[in-house]
Amino acid sequence: MSGKRWVAVGIAVALFIGSSFFTLALSAFSTDWDNLFAGEEYDVDEHILERGNGNGKIVVVHLNGVIQSSYDAPSLFESATYNHHRFLKQLDAAATDGSVDGIIISVNTPGGGVMESDQIHDKIVEIQEEHGKDVYISMQSMAASGGYYIAAPAAQVYAHPQTITGSIGVIMQSLNVAELAEDLGIQSEVIKSGPYKDIMSATREMTDDERQILQDLIDESYERFVDIIADGRDMPRSQVEELADGRIYSGNQAYEADLVDGLGDLDDVIEAFREDIGKGDIDVVEYRQPLGFPSLFGATAQSVFGDQLSMYSMKEWIHQSHAPRLMYLYTN
């Protein structure tokens, strides 16, 4: 790290300490210091959204950002929008809490990894079948591809009329810079143990055999996607296949196509869930990200360095995402 970067880090630390000292002093008698300096996934942090009659509660958990497990370990300067491990822990906490009557997942995502989406899907099925608690989905501005995959098994799915959803399908992407490398005089040297070890290389054209291998993977994941929707939505497979050509739908269009059960925002979903549970105006709480030291420091650094940290985060994301992956992801 250059001298200028070390100076920048020092300034960030100083500003963080100064801006945080007063807040920490006020909360000294109520703060769990182990939690403050713990990692981002120490525990769930429950906050009351609507206080009700105390006869039970509905938990709201938020899924924001790309569904990808590589965001589980953000750097000191970052505040990740989605942490896969933490999100699964929140679902487990709500499932095993005896005072929880149901769970609402507020979804705002373009989708993400095939494996991670499948893990969330399976967790929702487990909560409903093994713990006997309904899971409702409240789609926000976007719940596409993997965002719809996880919604399929839910007891009820709601979208805002202007939600972007659908994009049912699988994608795998890579860049081919072979011609550019040739123009620049760059030559790639590859030593490999088998003919397909460097499949989807960015420095050469893909062969027909390689393309077929990858297409078979895509087709397998696609068939799984269609099955998930057909089972979860209780729809004929032929009807799902007509809808699952990769296109996106508005919330209104998704409702007309029976991909969602109702239209409304989060407040509407809460009201409907309370009525369906039949215990009156029970409490509504949400699980938030624990406010540990990394979050406080990351927020302060972001306010100071802004665009520089955004560029650093982008470089980290590119580095993490270098290898092509099977994705339930809406991309353009």
Side-chain angles (χ1 to χ4, degrees):
M1 185 180 288
S2 66
K4 290 183 178 180
R5 288 181 179 271
W6 280 116
V7 170
V9 171
I11 293 173
V13 172
L15 288 172
F16 166 75
I17 294 174
S19 63
S20 303
F21 179 79
F22 184 67
T23 301
L24 294 176
L26 289 177
S27 60
F29 294 101
S30 60
T31 298
D32 183 341
W33 293 97
D34 289 334
N35 283 4
L36 178 64
F37 290 94
E40 293 296 333
E41 32 187 66
Y42 181 83
D43 205 350
V44 296
D45 191 8
E46 184 176 301
H47 289 256
I48 295 176
L49 287 181
E50 298 181 18
R51 191 176 298 279
N53 55 26
N55 292 331
K57 62 185 177 184
I58 296 170
V59 169
V60 178
V61 294
H62 298 274
L63 195 167
N64 296 314
V66 178
I67 304 171
Q68 190 165 329
S69 58
S70 59
Y71 288 97
D72 282 1
S75 72
L76 186 62
F77 295 104
E78 295 180 272
S79 180
T81 57
Y82 176 75
N83 183 299
H84 188 60
H85 181 57
R86 182 194 303 119
F87 183 73
L88 293 178
K89 283 183 63 177
Q90 289 179 336
L91 292 182
D92 281 332
T96 56
D97 185 342
S99 65
V100 172
D101 294 284
I103 301 167
I104 297 174
I105 303 178
S106 174
V107 178
N108 190 18
T109 177
V114 166
M115 182 197 73
E116 294 91 339
S117 300
D118 204 50
Q119 288 177 327
I120 298 173
H121 166 276
D122 291 348
K123 184 65 66 176
I124 292 173
V125 171
E126 174 190 322
I127 290 171
Q128 296 185 133
E129 293 184 354
E130 297 184 15
H131 296 276
K133 299 178 181 181
D134 282 342
V135 176
Y136 281 25
I137 299 293
S138 176
M139 295 180 173
Q140 305 306 310
S141 62
M142 180 175 290
S145 204
Y148 188 80
Y149 186 98
I150 70 169
Q156 292 287 306
V157 181
Y158 287 80
H160 187 276
Q162 300 305 316
T163 295
I164 296 297
T165 186
S167 188
I168 300 168
V170 194
I171 192 169
M172 177 182 281
Q173 297 183 103
S174 179
L175 296 176
N176 186 337
V177 297
E179 292 185 11
L180 176 61
E182 183 178 353
D183 291 341
L184 296 176
I186 300 172
Q187 185 174 352
S188 174
E189 299 289 351
V190 177
I191 301 172
K192 55 187 179 180
S193 59
Y196 306 119
K197 184 60 178 173
D198 65 339
I199 194 170
M200 224 170 179
S201 169
T203 57
R204 64 172 176 82
E205 293 291 334
M206 189 183 303
T207 68
D208 291 340
D209 286 346
E210 290 173 330
R211 190 174 298 277
Q212 187 59 54
I213 289 171
L214 296 176
Q215 188 63 56
D216 289 343
L217 289 175
I218 293 289
D219 292 344
E220 180 180 318
S221 294
Y222 173 78
E223 293 299 318
R224 166 73 171 165
F225 204 155
V226 172
D227 288 339
I228 288 297
I229 297 174
D231 292 343
R233 299 294 302 168
D234 194 22
M235 295 170 63
R237 202 173 193 282
S238 59
Q239 181 181 352
V240 177
E241 289 174 336
E242 291 180 3
L243 299 169
D245 59 3
R247 76 183 67 185
I248 56 175
Y249 300 94
S250 70
N252 280 322
Q253 292 171 335
Y255 180 66
E256 293 174 358
D258 293 328
L259 290 172
V260 302
D261 299 294
L263 298 174
D265 57 21
L266 180 59
D267 289 338
D268 296 320
V269 179
I270 291 172
E271 182 179 352
F273 209 170
R274 276 173 161 168
E275 292 179 1
D276 293 343
I277 290 173
K279 296 174 65 175
D281 290 334
I282 59 176
D283 297 344
V284 180
V285 302
E286 70 173 352
Y287 290 164
R288 298 179 181 175
Q289 176 176 316
L291 190 60
F293 181 82
S295 292
L296 289 170
F297 186 86
T300 302
Q302 182 65 43
S303 67
V304 175
F305 296 106
D307 293 340
Q308 294 182 25
L309 285 182
S310 296
M311 288 301 297
Y312 173 81
S313 299
M314 180 63 71
K315 289 193 291 183
E316 286 290 300
W317 183 87
I318 292 173
H319 175 73
Q320 293 170 356
S321 306
H322 176 69
R325 301 179 57 197
L326 288 170
M327 304 288 282
Y328 294 142
L329 181 68
Y330 168 59
T331 182
N332 52 20

